[in-house]
Each structure stands twice: as structure tokens, then as C-alpha cells.
Amino acid sequence: MSLVRLNIKGISYSQTQNGAYALILNEVDGDRKLPIVIGAFEAQSIAIALEKEIRPPRPLTHDLFKNFADRFDIVVKQVIIHKLVDGVFYSSLICERDKIEEIIDARTSDAIALALRFDAPIFTYKNILDKAGIYLKVNPTKDEDGEETNEDSILVDDLVASELEPDAPRENYTSKTIEELQNLLDEAVANEDYEKAAHIRDEISKRQ
């Protein structure tokens, strides 16, 4: 069976399962998306790994695993989503130590959180993508400058931005100075309010 490489498109709040999130994986050489329902803790851990500039004051569970693996020279080489049974995805960590390869069973959400920390590629089998992959509507449209944009990308990005916390208003940081924003960012990270930290980080990035 042939492997298909995936990357992470985004995370959105699940409208069908309370307290759950949908991790959206994208086929690297194609248009299909593979949505996987994950828990809030795993969604937070993946989001933190994606946000390189946000560092928790204490290591999260997946960070602890990474530190442990580094100490004992264990490397996660790749993650393979290898099975789908009754809507549940099963994954394996392909690990290596002293040139000896081991395969370790893992929940898909944990496997992807670790793949991000090890910069390991994520794969699934073609038959799983054929079975569970979806196509989001793709209609090239033109932006204000007349350039074509991919509506598929806009749909997913809007989904992630608007559904992660659908009822939570965002604070307006435009009146804050860079120094004030940096202090707020440090405070948000210390309080483990990573969503707020991401919004502040975005405001800082826009001004630099």
C-alpha cells in the first residue's frame, strides 16, 4: 500500500462534539483533507507546537516526552496513520535508537503532537485517504488586486479563526504599545492562556 504525506492545515472547534476539536490534515500532493476529532488538551498541545514563539513556563506532557527522548537519544522518524476502524484513527510512531527501529502504537492526536516536536513527517495510506478524505469546495476567486485566490484555503483559515472560540470576543490590542504587548504576552504565557498569547503575538508581528 502506498503512503501519502500529510501536513497540518489547521484546527477548528467541533460543532458536533462538545469540547472536541477537528484537526484538519491536508494531502501534500493533492486537494483532499483528512479531518480527525481530537480532545481539547491535544488540540492545545498541537497549537502550541505550531506557534513556535510561544513557550510554556513548564513542559507539557508531549514536551516532557520530547525531553525524555532527547536525553536517551530516541528519535521519532515519522508518524503513520495506518488504520481506521469505526471512525477511530490508529497511528504508529516510527522511532529509532542506536540505529535500531521500533514501531510504537499511539493515539493519532498524541502522534501528531510529537511529530511536530520532532519535525517528523506525517503519512497515511492511500486507502484510508480514499475512505475518509474529503474535498472542500475549490473555486478560484479574485482578490482586491485581481490576483486569483484559492477559496479552499480561505474556507479552512476562516473556519479555524472563527470556530476555535466561537463566542469569545477578542480584546482589541491596537492601542497598546509594543512594550505593553510584550508584557501582556509574557503574562498570558505564564497563565497558560495560549489562545490570548497567539492573538497578542499576531498583533506584535503585524507591527514589525
Side-chain angles (χ1 to χ4, degrees):
M1 290 183 288
S2 61
L3 287 172
V4 178
R5 186 163 179 174
L6 305 168
N7 58 23
I8 296 174
K9 186 68 175 178
I11 302 172
S12 68
Y13 189 78
S14 174
Q15 296 293 327
T16 58
Q17 297 189 35
N18 188 32
Y21 291 79
L23 172 66
I24 303 170
L25 301 176
N26 185 73
E27 182 182 14
V28 170
D29 295 320
D31 298 321
R32 287 176 293 185
K33 309 294 183 290
L34 190 66
I36 299 174
V37 176
I38 62 176
F41 171 78
E42 292 78 12
Q44 181 188 65
S45 181
I46 291 170
I48 290 170
L50 290 169
E51 299 287 351
K52 302 293 185 183
E53 298 176 18
I54 297 178
R55 296 184 178 274
R58 300 292 296 156
L60 301 178
T61 303
H62 298 110
D63 298 320
L64 176 61
F65 185 99
K66 175 64 163 60
N67 295 339
F68 180 90
D70 288 344
R71 183 66 60 90
F72 291 96
D73 297 321
I74 301 168
V75 177
V76 174
K77 305 278 288 188
Q78 62 183 14
V79 165
I80 300 177
I81 304 171
H82 63 86
K83 187 168 64 173
L84 174 61
V85 178
D86 296 330
V88 177
F89 292 90
Y90 293 77
S91 294
S92 295
L93 299 172
I94 312 302
C95 304
E96 184 178 275
R97 181 172 184 265
D98 295 335
K99 297 183 179 180
I100 298 174
E101 192 171 274
E102 299 284 351
I103 300 175
I104 300 176
D105 182 43
R107 296 189 307 168
T108 297
S109 54
D110 290 329
I112 291 174
L114 290 172
L116 286 169
R117 287 163 170 82
F118 282 90
D119 292 322
I122 303 165
F123 296 94
T124 192
Y125 289 110
K126 183 178 180 299
N127 65 320
I128 292 177
L129 199 56
D130 290 341
K131 181 178 180 181
I134 61 171
Y135 287 95
L136 295 183
K137 184 179 179 182
V138 180
N139 283 329
T141 57
K142 291 189 176 181
D143 61 17
E144 294 178 356
D145 298 324
E147 296 291 332
E148 285 194 351
T149 60
N150 190 334
E151 188 174 301
D152 167 47
S153 175
I154 295 171
L155 284 171
V156 175
D157 291 344
D158 287 349
L159 184 69
V160 173
S162 64
E163 293 185 4
L164 194 56
E165 287 290 347
D167 299 322
R170 291 189 184 182
E171 187 174 344
N172 190 341
Y173 298 108
T174 54
S175 62
K176 306 289 186 184
T177 66
I178 289 289
E179 184 178 354
E180 289 173 331
L181 288 171
Q182 191 60 56
N183 291 334
L184 287 172
L185 177 60
D186 294 340
E187 181 182 341
V189 171
N191 293 331
E192 300 186 10
D193 188 347
Y194 300 115
E195 185 197 356
K196 181 177 180 179
H199 295 330
I200 298 170
R201 188 283 322 280
D202 289 344
E203 181 64 30
I204 293 174
S205 297
K206 282 193 294 186
R207 301 190 194 183
Q208 294 175 338

